[in-house]
Amino acid sequence: ENMLYKLLKHSNQDQYHHEVISLMDKGIYGDKIEELGIKVHCLNLNRKNIVSSLLRARQVVDEFDIVDTWLYHADLFGFIVAKIMSQKKLVWNIRHSNLDKNANKSRTLRIVRLNACLSRHVDVITFNSHRAEENHLQIGYRGKRTSVIPNGFELDRFRFSPSERNSIRNELGLTEEKVIITVGRWDIQKDYYTLMAALNILQKKYHGFKMVMVGQNLDSENMELVDLINKYDLESKVLLLGRRNDVPALLSAADIYVSSSLGESFSNSIGEAMACELPCVVTNVGDSKLIVGETGVVVQAQDCEALAAGLLNGVSKKGGERCSSARKRVVSNYDITSVAQKFQEVWGSLEE
């Protein structure tokens, strides 16, 4: 949703007229998208209104030249509307790379397999990581064309701010501690189990750190997470902030970013952290290794010892210098304006 919003915001609206169909409700970004002057149609899809929702979507699609769908359920729904009902050009956008049975719902994997069968009729399939493209091609995805377009970042918004660093650290009662931060949501793919095990190892070797967790359900009401923190005696080390709207300021307040994921495609959070000049310790999933390059530490997924070692290396460094090379890497490769242009090149190729 975040990347979709950024794409709509930075695409050429004089050249392309966009409208958005949400299978469900407006979610977090619906109002923000409408503030851009872009209409949002909400289907509130359920088992009882599938047919009427398809007909509603067709009414919208009939007025457009190209349908660009995001995520598996929308890809399937959009295929029915765009290819079967309206005969329109169709772009699928794949934003997931880990297709392991243990890391996905069985229903989702059934849709993935069905989409693989349908994919040969899709005009273009875009992937937001090379790993996603590789894994989907292996299971039979065969678009007429494929393209890898990474996520892009708003570099004027995500940048280091000394004043915001001081403000947030004062708010959270942080003094000389080295602050590790992760931004995401409570999800099996994020593998916070390995992260907590790694922090337990870390605290036995280095005491002066705090772990800040930001995102949906990363709060004290999540009893599974709270129990996990208690299990590893991390009550005094972990700050659960839940969803926040000041992520750039929180990244400025931190010293190290960590991603413990067992499945990513292209991580928004890693790129945003790098844009704020944070060194990153990440697992080798999706395109995370490619994103950080030489600016961070990469370990294997589900290896708590290696993750702890990477974090120890980071927190042990003296001084509070930022990682300017991390931001330079994002500026060079993942600026949202250049990423939006790549999407427009795909759409333009379908106009011919």
Side-chain angles (χ1 to χ4, degrees):
E1 293 175 353
N2 181 24
M3 182 56 205
L4 173 61
Y5 169 72
K6 289 186 290 186
L7 172 59
L8 294 170
K9 182 178 177 181
H10 291 275
S11 67
N12 186 340
Q13 295 194 37
D14 292 329
Q15 184 178 4
Y16 292 101
H17 172 74
H18 303 287
E19 292 187 14
V20 174
I21 299 175
S22 169
L23 296 186
M24 303 305 293
D25 55 21
K26 286 185 180 180
I28 298 168
Y29 283 90
D31 289 335
K32 293 182 179 180
I33 291 172
E34 288 185 332
E35 288 172 5
L36 299 175
I38 295 171
K39 190 170 184 179
V40 177
H41 307 265
C42 297
L43 300 180
N44 296 299
L45 187 65
N46 58 56
R47 292 182 179 180
K48 295 180 180 179
N49 68 2
I50 291 176
V51 173
S52 62
S53 294
L54 286 167
L55 293 174
R56 284 181 60 198
R58 179 185 179 177
Q59 287 182 324
V60 178
V61 166
D62 279 345
E63 301 299 318
F64 287 77
D65 302 303
I66 300 168
V67 177
D68 193 331
T69 59
W70 290 50
L71 308 183
Y72 299 129
H73 293 76
D75 290 343
L76 176 57
F77 187 93
F79 184 91
I80 297 170
V81 175
K83 282 299 177 187
I84 297 176
M85 300 174 73
S86 293
Q87 291 79 53
K88 300 290 183 177
K89 297 291 186 180
L90 177 63
V91 180
W92 274 359
N93 195 321
I94 308 294
R95 315 189 64 75
H96 185 66
S97 68
N98 187 346
L99 298 173
D100 292 343
K101 285 191 248 184
N102 294 334
N104 294 276
K105 296 177 181 177
S106 59
R107 183 173 61 181
T108 298
L109 292 178
R110 286 196 295 270
I111 291 176
V112 170
R113 288 192 290 270
L114 175 56
N115 286 355
C117 297
L118 300 174
S119 63
R120 67 188 68 243
H121 304 290
V122 178
D123 297 285
V124 183
I125 303 177
T126 60
F127 302 87
N128 73 338
S129 74
H130 294 279
R131 186 69 61 85
E133 180 183 43
E134 176 185 331
N135 289 350
H136 285 80
L137 292 180
Q138 285 179 355
I139 65 164
Y141 271 67
R142 291 290 182 270
K144 296 176 183 177
R145 282 192 294 128
T146 63
S147 177
V148 176
I149 305 178
N151 288 351
F153 304 97
E154 295 180 298
L155 298 174
D156 56 340
R157 180 169 174 244
F158 284 89
R159 61 187 314 130
F160 174 61
S161 168
S163 62
E164 289 184 335
R165 175 180 175 85
N166 292 334
S167 176
I168 291 293
R169 289 180 77 95
N170 288 335
E171 174 195 335
L172 299 180
L174 301 168
T175 53
E176 300 301 317
E177 300 98 330
K178 288 293 182 72
V179 175
I180 306 167
I181 190 170
T182 191
V183 181
R185 65 188 186 280
W186 178 252
D187 188 279
I188 190 173
Q189 296 275 354
K190 302 301 181 184
D191 195 13
Y192 295 120
Y193 300 92
T194 295
L195 176 58
M196 293 300 130
L199 293 176
N200 182 48
I201 297 169
L202 176 63
Q203 72 175 341
K204 296 174 183 176
K205 301 177 181 180
Y206 184 93
H207 297 289
F209 77 90
K210 290 285 188 180
M211 177 75 231
V212 174
M213 303 183 71
V214 183
Q216 184 177 359
N217 295 325
L218 299 185
D219 54 40
S220 58
E221 295 183 5
N222 183 342
M223 294 314 300
E224 189 174 351
L225 176 56
V226 171
D227 289 344
L228 193 60
I229 292 169
N230 294 338
K231 173 184 176 181
Y232 288 111
D233 299 319
L234 293 167
E235 298 93 330
S236 64
K237 293 297 184 185
V238 179
L239 299 178
L240 300 177
L241 302 188
R243 184 185 291 280
R244 297 270 296 222
N245 295 319
D246 56 348
V247 171
L250 290 164
L251 293 172
S252 289
D255 301 291
I256 302 164
Y257 186 85
V258 61
S259 172
S260 56
S261 294
L262 56 86
E264 290 281 356
S265 186
F266 189 107
S267 170
N268 272 306
S269 298
I270 293 173
E272 291 169 353
M274 291 172 64
C276 293
E277 302 180 29
L278 280 179
C280 297
V281 180
V282 306
T283 50
N284 187 16
V285 296
D287 276 11
S288 296
K289 182 178 180 179
L290 175 65
I291 299 168
V292 300
E294 299 299 319
T295 72
V297 175
V298 182
V299 303
Q300 292 305 307
Q302 297 184 299
D303 187 338
C304 59
E305 294 280 353
L307 190 62
L311 292 172
L312 179 61
N313 178 66
V315 297
S316 299
K317 292 179 179 178
K318 296 181 179 180
E321 291 186 8
R322 309 298 286 187
C323 185
S324 59
S325 60
R327 179 173 174 84
K328 289 177 183 176
R329 185 169 178 82
V330 174
V331 170
S332 298
N333 297 286
Y334 307 119
D335 185 351
I336 186 60
T337 54
S338 60
V339 170
Q341 179 59 37
K342 291 178 182 178
F343 275 97
Q344 291 177 172
E345 289 169 3
V346 168
W347 300 332
S349 70
L350 296 176
E351 296 174 342
E352 299 171 357

